[in-house]
Each structure stands twice: as C-alpha cells, then as structure tokens.
Amino acid sequence: MSSIAVHEVGSRGEGPYSVAITDDGAVWCTLVHAGAVVRAVPGRPGATGTDARLGFERTQVSVASGVGPMQSSQVVAAGDDTVWVSDTGGDALVLVGPAGVVRRIDVPTPEAQPFGIASQADGTAWFTELGRDALGHIDLFGRVTEYPSGTDEGFVSMIASAGESLWFTANQANAIGYVRGGDSAVQLFEIPTPHAGPVGIVVGDDGAAWFTEILAGAVGRVDRQGRFTEHPLPWPESKPHALCVDPAGGFWVTLWGANELAHLDVDGAVELIDLAPSGHEEPHGLAVDATGTVWVAM
C-alpha cells in the first residue's frame, strides 16, 4: 500500500512542472509560470520553511531572464548538486546549484524555445528547441551548436540519452528521433498509432526508448531498428505525460488526465496509484530518489 505525503513547493498558478534529484539527495522542481526552480531537502532535522514538520527545507531560485515570458520548463541533474534548467521563454539554459545560478547559456537562435534537456556524464548537455525544429549541444566551454531535427513544425519536446546516443520525441510529427552518436544523422521513426502525441521519453536498460503517447493514452517502446511496441493504458483519456526508470524494474508514468501514477513493467503490465488523496491534480514531472520514493510535481 503506497502512502502519499504532500509538500507545498509553489502555488497552483506557479505551475510545479518538472522534477529532478541530485546525488546529494536534494529534490528540484521547476515552477514553470514563475520562471523559477525550487530546491528542497527532505528529512533534514530542524528544517525551516514549508512543511517544517516533515523536515522539508525549501529554497527558490529565479532563472527567468526578463527578456521573454517567464517559463522555466525542464530540470535535469547535472552533477552531484547542480541542475540544468531550460528557460524556454528566455531562450537559455541555466546551470543552478545550492547557492543559486552558476551559469547562464544563451541559445544563439532567437525564439528557439529550449525545452527538454539531457545531461551527459562528461559535463556537456543536449537540449531540444521547440520553436526551431532543432537540437542543441552545450560543450564544456559553454559553446552551443545547433543541429536540425529533421522535422518541420514537429514540436521536438523531451530528450533522453544513453552514452553518446540520443532519443527525442517530436510531438506534432508523431515520431521518435534517434541519433547514434552526437555527430550522426537523425533517424525519425513514425509511431504506428496516428496522432499519438509523444511527450516524455527515457532510455531503458536495453538501449531502447520508452515514451508516452499523451493523445493515445498509451506508453510505447521503440528499439534502434525502429521496431515499436505500444502498451495501451486502462483509460484512453488518461494523458500520460512524463516517465522515468524505476531502479527496481520497469517505469513510472504520470497520468495527467486521470490524476494517477502508473507503474509499468517491461511487458507493459500496469499498476495504478490514485493521487486524489493528495488533494492536488494534474501530475506532470516525476523522479525516483535513492530510497525508491517517487516524487511527482502536481
């Protein structure tokens, strides 16, 4: 039986959206409409701030440039205690640590709208550009190189990596993109279900990509040869959004439209957890910490 604990990290209007966990145990969450990211340390004795009773220490960092609309979209762990945050409205990627902003990298192309991010073990990062049908790469010196995604108004969204290989979702193109090595050409694999609307994506232990189909109410898998397997969820209108690998096996998925959390094994068997007892709605981003606890942005 799963238990649910609620930690207030922002108001409903600020839009808690994406979640990441760094090696120091901190939980990070973007407030998409506030142009900010929250860093929270659970279980710290004597913590102050929101939900001190549960030892939940919270600090908030603004990443908005003030140039475009406030929109801090995605957050991913970048190091032991740092994260990358995409400032979609300000056309930038922001490296943030416990003390605040460490580095801000502006994207060369105006209105690129950086969104999804994949951090690499060598300190570099890849990201998607919603507005320009492109992928971007940040090297160790902060230089940005942009590559076409192979789509036309494809709305390239989330991105994941395994070694040097990249996978990404092209939401409006109804396709999954694959790049074998950073300098290789993009391969686009069309999803068998029309208008599936792929969003979240991760790479499994076997190197294949798992992704959500927000418009089809399903979770899909595609291997490096472009072979698909699709797993329908119990309710077609559940709107699966983000997913992450469960270290104990399988995958966790947020069901935005059903207000549920789903667990899938590698064969597609589904278990559902009702998030209504939390008193909040619209689960989006999620991550699993070292204890196996699942953190979900509502």
Side-chain angles (χ1 to χ4, degrees), residues 104 150 168 171 279-280 296:
R104 182 179 183 86
F168 63 91
N171 180 268
H280 296 267
V296 182

Side-chain angles (χ1 to χ4, degrees), residues 84 91-94 103-109 112 114-129 133-149 156 159-161 163-166 168 179 181-184 186:
W84 283 108
D91 287 331
L93 285 301
V94 187
R103 192 178 200 183
R104 182 179 183 86
I105 307 294
D106 293 317
V107 179
T109 303
F115 187 71
I117 321 168
S119 180
Q120 305 294 87
D122 62 1
T124 64
W126 286 87
F127 61 93
T128 62
E129 297 183 0
D133 284 290
L135 307 178
H137 179 258
I138 304 173
D139 69 15
L140 292 174
F141 300 100
R143 296 174 299 201
V144 176
T145 306
E146 295 165 290
Y147 302 88
S149 68
V156 288
I159 188 168
S161 65
E164 293 184 351
S165 297
L166 301 171
F168 63 91
V179 186
D183 297 324
S184 300
V186 175

Side-chain angles (χ1 to χ4, degrees), residues 4-10 16 40-43 50-58 278 280 293 295-296 298:
I4 299 175
V6 177
H7 304 275
E8 303 290 344
V9 296
V41 183
T50 301
D51 212 348
R53 180 178 60 84
L54 295 176
F56 196 74
E57 182 178 330
R58 172 193 180 281
S278 72
H280 296 267
T293 299
W295 294 84
V296 182
M298 304 291 286

Side-chain angles (χ1 to χ4, degrees), residues 1-282:
M1 183 70 179
S2 300
S3 61
I4 299 175
V6 177
H7 304 275
E8 303 290 344
V9 296
S11 69
R12 187 184 186 94
E14 289 178 317
Y17 188 68
S18 176
V19 182
I21 298 170
T22 42
D23 290 342
D24 61 356
V27 180
W28 298 76
C29 179
T30 56
L31 303 179
V32 66
H33 301 307
V37 63
V38 167
R39 179 180 186 268
V41 183
R44 174 173 291 182
T48 59
T50 301
D51 212 348
R53 180 178 60 84
L54 295 176
F56 196 74
E57 182 178 330
R58 172 193 180 281
T59 56
Q60 182 171 325
V61 178
S62 174
V63 297
S65 64
V67 175
M70 290 192 298
Q71 191 175 346
S72 53
S73 298
Q74 296 296 314
V75 57
V76 298
D80 291 342
D81 61 356
T82 56
V83 293
W84 283 108
V85 181
S86 54
D87 178 5
T88 303
D91 287 331
L93 285 301
V94 187
L95 186 65
V96 183
V101 173
V102 176
R103 192 178 200 183
R104 182 179 183 86
I105 307 294
D106 293 317
V107 179
T109 303
E111 299 181 4
Q113 298 178 41
F115 187 71
I117 321 168
S119 180
Q120 305 294 87
D122 62 1
T124 64
W126 286 87
F127 61 93
T128 62
E129 297 183 0
L130 287 177
R132 294 295 180 182
D133 284 290
L135 307 178
H137 179 258
I138 304 173
D139 69 15
L140 292 174
F141 300 100
R143 296 174 299 201
V144 176
T145 306
E146 295 165 290
Y147 302 88
S149 68
T151 65
D152 182 16
E153 296 185 1
F155 207 67
V156 288
S157 303
M158 305 290 200
I159 188 168
S161 65
E164 293 184 351
S165 297
L166 301 171
W167 292 91
F168 63 91
T169 52
N171 180 268
Q172 294 299 301
N174 205 50
I176 306 299
Y178 174 58
V179 186
R180 189 181 61 231
D183 297 324
S184 300
V186 175
Q187 291 179 274
L188 290 175
F189 301 130
E190 185 176 354
I191 299 171
T193 298
H195 312 295
V199 183
I201 190 166
V202 295
V203 182
D205 292 338
D206 59 357
W210 288 72
F211 58 93
T212 59
E213 300 180 6
I214 196 168
L215 299 181
V219 173
R221 176 188 181 273
V222 58
D223 66 18
R224 294 167 179 167
Q225 287 72 47
R227 295 173 297 208
F228 282 87
T229 305
E230 294 174 281
H231 302 287
L233 294 166
W235 185 38
E237 302 299 322
S238 58
K239 292 183 170 60
H241 177 77
L243 76 167
C244 67
V245 175
D246 178 3
F251 304 86
W252 289 102
V253 186
T254 51
L255 306 185
W256 172 25
N259 205 29
E260 293 175 325
L261 184 64
H263 187 274
L264 274 75
D265 66 20
V266 293
D267 296 318
V270 181
E271 294 182 24
L272 299 175
I273 296 173
D274 184 10
L275 296 176
S278 72
H280 296 267
E281 299 176 343
E282 297 188 9

